[in-house]
Amino acid sequence: MPYIKTHVSKLLVYVVSCCRGRSRRGNRKNKVFFESADANVRTLYRHQLAALLYCICILFLIHAEMNNCLQLFKARKTIREMFYDRGYTVVTPLYEKEIESFAFWSHGKKEEHCTMTFEKPNKKAMVFFATEPKVGVAYVRRVFETLTEQRANIGVIVYKDVITPFANQEILKLTAQHHIECQTFKRLHLQINLTHHTKVPIHTILTKEEKDALLLKHNCPLEKLPHLPLNDKMAQYLAMKKGQVVKIQRMSPEGHTYFNYRVVVKKLQKKI
């Protein structure tokens, strides 16, 4: 066995050097050794090299599959935490508590079997995990058909790599047509929960009564409050809507707690 490993390593060095177009003394020695060997030894080298390359390919495939499974596991965990913070009823299945059991459960599952459903009074949300790298118009239409059949009010699409501009336009069109809210998240952005970061303050959406009491107390119109755009990460996390007021809890350098209030707007206006 050490004899075979030694000569296979020499053969690999020779192959790599030939691919790189280099010519060194050691490589010439390996080339001379390989060419001087008899047919049986050369056949043995080729078989060993083929087996080695096959094992390397298998390892790469296993690594890619496990990486994909781990990303999906973390994204689903963040989704559950996100909907729990939104006030939905969340139950974690036993097979999703550990990565090992989740990998066994998710192996060979179809796309529709990975859909998640959350409910609270008068609201139903469904989360779809796209398996294709690119999400297009056809996938968006299938999602809205499922939302309409299941009578869901909110839909979330988690895509792998990219969502096309035409798909975004189709989402806006179908949202206005079916009166269904729809959000999109990239799977890579759901690998961690941003609310668990120490630098992210606590955001709380005020009720209509609390908002009116705040404006009356400070005698301040809604437009004069600091703005928070809809594309803010926390606004997307909590599914904030335009016109809502958010209470942000911060900590001063002296260790005291204070609150900031912001009104949610479509986008920030540029300062002149």
Side-chain angles (χ1 to χ4, degrees), residues 50-61:
L52 181 61
L53 294 178
Y54 178 78
C55 293
I56 292 174
C57 292
I58 293 298
L59 290 177
F60 273 114
L61 291 175

Side-chain angles (χ1 to χ4, degrees), residues 169-184:
Q169 294 177 6
E170 190 70 15
I171 288 175
L172 296 177
K173 174 184 174 182
L174 295 177
T175 297
Q177 180 179 348
H178 297 281
H179 304 286
I180 297 176
E181 301 176 18
C182 185
Q183 287 184 288
T184 58

